[in-house]
């Protein structure tokens, strides 16, 4: 096709030159144009017609498509029908095997507080995240009831459309005050908090450095943000440093792009999956060295670590303003429902229009907000509760050391510990069944434990199967003793 | 729009006939293959909604939906309005930049001034210069039940809507046209509240565990059995948040190699869920079955892009009632298409469950269809039930799979017991299982209120969108300046409504939205109407008069 074009152009130019030669002899350069027009008038009609056709042909060639794929390959309606008849979709969901652990939930009758009735049997609860024992605290209950009698249960609307209640505003300002930050924002679901907060700031093209042991809601938030995600080894600051250095080199190559690429480090305070604490002071150093913002997920550490329960910042004595955003849920220590983010107004306020889980979801039922306010009151009035919790955690941690066949994962301060098989059989299913047998054995002796559950195919860094041991302030020393000896006994009986 | 609904029906019918004639003459063979006809050529391109497809035999009742086209003059004026606002926005940004105007916006920490800016300047232009001006229309704090009337904390702003301070006064008995309290179950007295109080006393308010671990209470089991019975499905699963029900379950149902066909006006949670699933997403025009069918055919015929392998599954995602349009999904046609093309159907009944149908069982009940034809029945408890959370109902295998693979079933804390109890009580009331006719009364009241309110607004000449049976009533305002003015004037007259503009709606289609509730009495609705009359000349909502345009009404009728 190009060839033809060239030939055409050649012909055309030839002709022009001929015309020019004719006229050039008579006059100077400035007359060329006029004379060309004159030549045009003088040219014979067949010549002009030929030329016109040539021009039209060139235009046609330029604008026509080289291949007419659709035309040649077009399916007839009949063929299409056959294809539609022929196509068979996969089933909507694959069959789940009958013995999948999720199909036989343990049924809890009554409240899952200190004493819990599982499948009709009363046990001491080592399986709920009720660290401060606020779940069936009378004060919290009364506050929730009063609120229920004023507001009813539901809010019937998102925050924007008459779903904001005075209790929500009160809870937000109380949380901000408790955490000593400028502003706080509450979400109606713990899982949605960090999962909405991350994509509100980090967009396509931005870079997020994440600890690979980060919990599932962080992973979902990252996925929703569509940013570039770089995982560093769990709690390994050298690895993070290496990634940040690499990024710095990259930035030098392309400074214009670097100027608009936001960078974030996302870490958990106390890790859900590994029960250890992030090295926050080092992270803050990195932050200023490489100019990266830090998002901290404190669902487990809020109301647990630190002298006043303010979480990992207080634990390390890090200035809370050095952390750009702190997110936590109110479903563990606070024993209510929902989550919150706090930080400087400059950062937090943005979520009120950009946090999807905030804007598009119904707001938190007022009674749950009221319960959370009362829980904050209790935490502020009596900071000793955190000392008690720390002591219990440490004693459980030390008592569980040296269980034969089981390895304790976590740090002494963590109220959420993991017991993992010392020697894995190599098959996840078998391991899980072994652990399940331990849990069943222990529950016969009136101690409630649970296996940590994960979506095995979806987790980015799947932890080995573990039993969760959750410590609360309500557990007495005798009960802890009893639970520990039960676990040791069970491990002996089941594993060996 | 001054004709009555019967007129519109005729109008729709006439429209139908002419289109059929035209169709068969032109290329009749398409008709043999496609369930629904191709769009008509004579339609004007600026139409919002190509609602012409019809298959009367599928409907057991008239299906009347109207969308008036935005009149040209209004559209021009609206764009001019935005133009002026934008110019002033730039002017003020310029003044702020040179410190002529005091900048009251929160700033970055001094220590972090040399970081990459957290927000691009243009990202917040709209918020800074347009939204802030009328920010007082949203987030108005309530201090009581969001029932038929509500108490609003009066607020005032001294810094041009950046912050609000309470004046200490409370605006009492504001008529609530904003909450999604369709059946009026948002109450602090009565049997629902009593039951919730008892449960709170017994269980407390939290759970502190996930369903898979130690948060599966007996009350949850009871609730799920009831929900399954209510929906008429084999099994059901409930979640603590409606938004998360969508965003965290769609990824469990579709994945790479699957195609999600999503209505263009689907809720953000559905969009997020589809995006998180990693499937390919294609969007069809709102409630337009021709567009949907074309996508379905193309998908099966052409397979996946680039690899040309056939799709693993096709998942159609639609909502029952669209909350900004007030339209009802053309479910009979969607089901016909789904069966013909072997696709799966995900129906989000967030607004329709409880609010539609003779038994309050949502859009399936409304059309008299079989719930088994819908593969995934999703809905929320926030609206009609006055609680919180969401559910998914369907075949037993589906629910079993979700129990073990849904993100929220595995990782999220389960529903708080008082909320679960609220759902149980309100649902048994709707089903009449409490031995009273209270539920039936509410359903009847809602449907009467809807008809009455929509008719009254129409008679007054306002442009109303949506289906005649939908309790969501959007009234068009069009111009950005009217959003704020309308919301404020209504509040002055003790009526709380929702006003929305871009980006929740297309840029020229700002609107006010009324949500009718069974808790409203005819008197409250009359008050709304009366006051509308007063605020009419002041705010001057656009009347559909021949002066502005020839009303263009669409609707379809079935015998």
């Amino acid at each position: 096709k190009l060839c033809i074009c060239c030939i055409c152009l050649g012909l055309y130019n030839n002709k022009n030159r001929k015309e020019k030669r004719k006229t050039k002899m008579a006059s100077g350069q400035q007359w060329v144009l006029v004379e060309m027009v004159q030549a045009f008038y003088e040219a014979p009609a067949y010549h002009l017609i030929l030329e016109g056709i040539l021009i039209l042909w060139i235009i046609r060639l330029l604008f026509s498509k080289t291949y007419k794929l659709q035309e040649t390959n077009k399916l007839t309606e009949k063929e299409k029908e056959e294809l539609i008849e022929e196509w068979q979709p996969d089933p909507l969901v694959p069959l789940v095997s009958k013995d999948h652990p999720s199909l036989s939930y343990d049924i809890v009758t009554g409240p899952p507080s200190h004493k819990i009735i599982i499948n009709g049997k009363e046990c001491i609860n080592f399986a709920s995240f009720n660290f401060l024992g606020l779940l069936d605290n009378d004060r919290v209950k009364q506050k929730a009831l009063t609120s229920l009698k004023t507001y009813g249960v539901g809010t019937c609307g998102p925050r924007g459309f008459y779903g904001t209640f005075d209790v929500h505003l009160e809870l937000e300002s109380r949380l901000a005050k408790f955490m000593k930050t400028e502003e706080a924002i509450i979400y109606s679901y713990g899982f949605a908090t960090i999962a909405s907060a991350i994509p509100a700031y980090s967009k396509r093209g931005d870079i997020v450095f994440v600890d690979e042991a980060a919990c599932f809601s962080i992973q979902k938030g990252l996925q929703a943000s569509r940013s570039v995600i770089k995982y560093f080894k769990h709690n390994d600051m050298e690895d993070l440093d290496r990634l940040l250095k690499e990024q710095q080199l990259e930035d030098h190559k392309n400074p214009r792009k670097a100027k608009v690429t936001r960078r974030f480090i996302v870490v958990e305070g106390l890790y859900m999956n590994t029960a250890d604490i992030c090295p926050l002071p080092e992270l803050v150093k990195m932050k200023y060295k490489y100019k990266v913002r830090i998002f901290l997920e404190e669902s487990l550490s809020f109301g647990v670590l630190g002298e006043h329960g303010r979480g990992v910042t207080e634990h390390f004595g890090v200035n809370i303003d050095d952390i750009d955003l702190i997110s936590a849920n109110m479903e563990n220590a606070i024993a209510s429902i929902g989550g919150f983010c706090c930080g400087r107004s400059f950062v937090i306020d943005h979520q009120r229009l950009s946090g999807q889980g905030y804007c598009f979801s119904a707001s938190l039922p007022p009674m749950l907000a009221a319960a959370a306010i009362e829980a904050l009151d209790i935490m502020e009035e009596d900071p000793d509760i955190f000392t008690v919790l720390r002591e219990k955690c440490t004693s459980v941690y030390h008592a569980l050391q040296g269980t034969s066949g089981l390895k304790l994962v976590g740090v002494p301060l963590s109220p959420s510990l993991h017991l993992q098989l010392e020697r894995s059989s190599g098959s996840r299913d078998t391991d899980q069944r072994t652990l399940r047998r331990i849990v069943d054995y222990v529950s016969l002796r009136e101690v409630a434990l649970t296996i940590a559950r994960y979506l095995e195919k979806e987790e980015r860094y799947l932890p080995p199967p573990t039993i969760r041991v959750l410590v609360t302030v309500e557990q007495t020393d005798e009960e802890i003793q009893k639970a520990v000896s039960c676990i040791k006994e069970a491990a002996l009986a089941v594993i060996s | 729009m001054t004709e009555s609904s019967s007129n519109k029906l005729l109008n729709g019918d006439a429209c139908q006939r002419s289109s059929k004639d035209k169709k068969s003459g032109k290329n009749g063979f398409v008709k043999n293959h496609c369930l629904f006809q191709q769009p008509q050529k004579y339609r004007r391109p600026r139409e919002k909604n190509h609602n012409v497809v019809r298959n009367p035999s599928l409907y057991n009742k008239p299906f009347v939906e109207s969308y008036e086209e935005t009149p040209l003059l209004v559209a021009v004026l609206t764009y001019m309005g935005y133009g002026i606002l934008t110019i002033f926005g730039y002017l003020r940004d310029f003044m702020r930049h040179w410190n002529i105007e005091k900048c009251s916006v929160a700033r970055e920490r001094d220590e972090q001034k040399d970081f990459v800016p957290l927000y691009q300047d243009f990202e917040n232009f709209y918020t800074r210069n347009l939204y802030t001006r009328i920010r007082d229309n949203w987030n108005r704090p309530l201090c009581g039940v969001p029932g038929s009337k509500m108490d609003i904390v009066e607020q005032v702003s001294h810094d041009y809507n950046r912050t609000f301070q309470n004046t200490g006064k409370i605006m009492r008995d504001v008529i609530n046209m904003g909450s999604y309290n369709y059946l009026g179950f948002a109450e602090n007295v009565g049997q629902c509240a009593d039951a919730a109080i008892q449960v709170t006393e017994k269980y407390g308010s939290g759970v502190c565990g996930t369903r898979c671990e130690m948060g599966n209470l007996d009350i949850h089991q009871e609730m799920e059995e009831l929900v399954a019975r209510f929906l008429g499905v084999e099994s059901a699963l409930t979640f603590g948040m409606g938004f998360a029900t969508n965003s965290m379950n769609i990824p469990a149902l579709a994945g790479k190699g699957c195609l999600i066909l999503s209505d263009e006006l689907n809720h953000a949670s559905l969009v997020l869920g589809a995006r998180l699933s990693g499937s390919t997403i294609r969007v069809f025009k709102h409630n337009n079955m021709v567009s949907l069918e074309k996508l379905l055919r193309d998908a099966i015929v052409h397979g996946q892009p680039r690899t040309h392998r056939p799709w693993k599954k096709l998942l159609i995602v639609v909502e029952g009632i669209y909350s900004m349009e007030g339209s009802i999904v053309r479910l009979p046609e969607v089901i016909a298409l789904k069966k013909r093309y072997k696709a799966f159907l995900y129906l989000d009944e967030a607004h329709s469950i409880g609010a539609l149908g003779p038994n309050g069982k949502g859009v399936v009940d409304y059309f008299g269809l079989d719930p088994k034809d819908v593969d995934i029945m999703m809905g929320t408890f926030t609206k009609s039930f006055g609680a919180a959370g969401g559910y998914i109902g369907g075949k037993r295998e589906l629910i079993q799979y979700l129990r073990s693979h849904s993100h929220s079933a595995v990782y999220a804390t389960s529903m708080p017991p008082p909320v679960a109890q609220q759902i149980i009580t309100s649902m048994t009331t709707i089903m009449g299982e409490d031995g009273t006719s209270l539920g039936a009364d509410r359903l009847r009241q809602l449907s009467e209120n809807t008809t009455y309110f929509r008719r009254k607004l129409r008679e007054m000449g306002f442009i109303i969108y949506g289906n005649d049976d939908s309790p969501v009533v959007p009234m068009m305002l069009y111009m950005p300046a009217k959003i704020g003015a309308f919301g404020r004037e209504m509040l002055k007259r003790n009526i709380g409504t929702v006003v929305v503009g871009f980006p929740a709606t297309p840029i020229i289609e700002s609107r006010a939205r009324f949500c009718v509730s069974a808790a409203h009495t005819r008197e409250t609705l009359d008050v709304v109407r009366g006051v509308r009359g007063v605020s009419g000349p002041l705010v001057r909502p656009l009347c559909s008069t021949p002066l502005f345009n020839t009303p263009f009404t669409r609707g379809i009728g079935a015998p």
Side-chain angles (χ1 to χ4, degrees), chain B residues 276-336:
Chain B
L276 287 177
S277 73
S279 322
T280 310
I281 304 161
R282 283 180 192 159
V283 177
F284 59 91
K285 292 207 188 78
H286 174 54
N287 231 349
N288 183 334
M289 293 306 120
V290 173
S291 169
L292 174 60
E293 183 167 24
K294 186 171 178 307
L295 286 180
L296 281 166
R297 284 180 77 83
D298 285 354
I300 300 176
V301 171
H302 298 302
Q304 299 186 34
R306 288 171 54 231
T307 60
H308 299 291
R309 296 275 172 280
W311 294 102
K312 284 185 186 150
K313 324 173 221 192
L314 304 179
L315 185 67
I316 303 171
V317 181
V318 290
E319 285 184 48
I321 292 182
Y322 289 85
S323 63
M324 283 298 162
E325 304 297 299
S327 51
I328 297 178
V329 65
R330 295 164 177 279
L331 195 64
E333 289 168 83
V334 176
I335 289 182

Side-chain angles (χ1 to χ4, degrees), chain A residues 87 162 223 262 331 346 459, chain B residues 118-119 276 342 411 413:
Chain A
W87 180 70
Y162 302 101
Q223 198 189 337
R262 285 164 281 220
E331 296 166 358
F346 173 72
E459 280 279 355
Chain B
L118 192 54
Y119 318 112
L276 287 177
K342 299 172 214 133
Y411 291 101
T413 305

Side-chain angles (χ1 to χ4, degrees), chain A residues 215-273:
Chain A
C215 65
F216 198 71
S217 52
I218 293 182
Q219 293 171 36
K220 287 294 123 184
L222 294 173
Q223 198 189 337
S225 74
R226 297 186 277 187
S227 311
V228 179
I229 303 161
K230 299 197 169 167
Y231 286 96
F232 59 91
K233 290 205 191 82
H234 176 54
N235 271 352
D236 185 343
M237 290 302 105
E238 277 169 27
D239 198 38
L240 175 62
D241 195 62
R242 178 183 63 82
L243 286 175
L244 287 166
K245 277 214 178 83
E246 268 175 25
Q247 186 55 43
Q248 217 171 24
L249 284 177
E250 198 77 8
D251 290 347
H252 280 306
K253 275 185 217 154
N254 196 348
R256 267 183 67 191
K257 193 178 159 206
K259 238 188 224 167
V260 292
T261 311
R262 285 164 281 220
R263 286 133 239 254
F264 304 91
I265 297 176
V266 180
V267 286
E268 274 181 82
L270 189 57
Y271 283 87
M272 189 75 175
N273 295 355

